[in-house]
Amino acid sequence: MDKKFYVYIIRCAGDRLYTGITAFPGQRIEEHRQGKGAKWTRSFKPLSLEVLWELESRSHALKVECLIKKLTREKKLQLIANPFTLQEIVSTRYKDIFISVSQFKNIDSLL
């Protein structure tokens, strides 16, 4: 069985949103905080982890990340406000992907 992967949205400086995937949320968020993560988060420092979704595989996480990245900012903000709606969005395209929701309102809660 594959290990769990996570898709997350973090709020960055300038009220920008960043979406990514990882197998190790705490470690990845710390990398972003230290400027060792994605190029985007080196430019716009992470402020808060808004939502974290757990998926069964890397493949599923990549598919979900791609769907989220195609959403408008308004739709992403709606996902943050109600993370359970992601399952509805994903189900329209992928019938075999199930998503668990974990909410952390502070990056430090993962470390």
Side-chain angles (χ1 to χ4, degrees):
M1 178 164 192
D2 293 332
K3 64 181 165 185
K4 303 285 186 190
F5 273 79
Y6 301 85
V7 176
Y8 58 91
I9 297 177
I10 55 179
R11 190 174 304 271
C12 298
D15 201 33
R16 290 170 169 85
L17 301 174
Y18 176 81
T19 303
I21 74 162
T22 185
F24 306 101
Q27 177 182 332
R28 185 65 176 147
I29 298 303
E30 185 58 27
E31 289 170 356
H32 285 305
R33 290 175 80 181
Q34 293 177 4
K36 297 177 184 173
K39 190 175 186 179
W40 177 261
T41 56
R42 281 182 285 200
S43 299
F44 304 102
K45 300 299 180 206
L47 302 175
S48 62
L49 176 63
E50 295 297 317
V51 66
L52 181 72
W53 293 280
E54 181 181 293
L55 291 108
E56 291 296 321
S57 69
R58 183 174 190 270
S59 172
H60 287 180
L62 287 168
K63 289 174 184 176
V64 171
E65 177 194 33
C66 184
L67 286 175
I68 293 172
K69 286 186 172 186
K70 290 179 182 179
L71 296 175
T72 64
R73 176 180 171 77
E74 184 59 36
K75 292 281 186 187
K76 290 175 189 176
L77 291 171
Q78 289 173 10
L79 279 178
I80 290 168
N82 187 0
F84 296 96
T85 60
L86 181 61
Q87 185 67 58
E88 296 169 23
I89 294 168
V90 171
S91 294
T92 62
R93 179 130 186 208
Y94 303 106
K95 303 295 183 205
D96 63 331
I97 297 179
F98 178 75
I99 300 167
S100 297
V101 178
S102 298
Q103 290 189 58
F104 297 89
K105 287 302 174 189
N106 188 318
I107 288 175
D108 294 326
S109 66
L110 275 180
L111 303 174

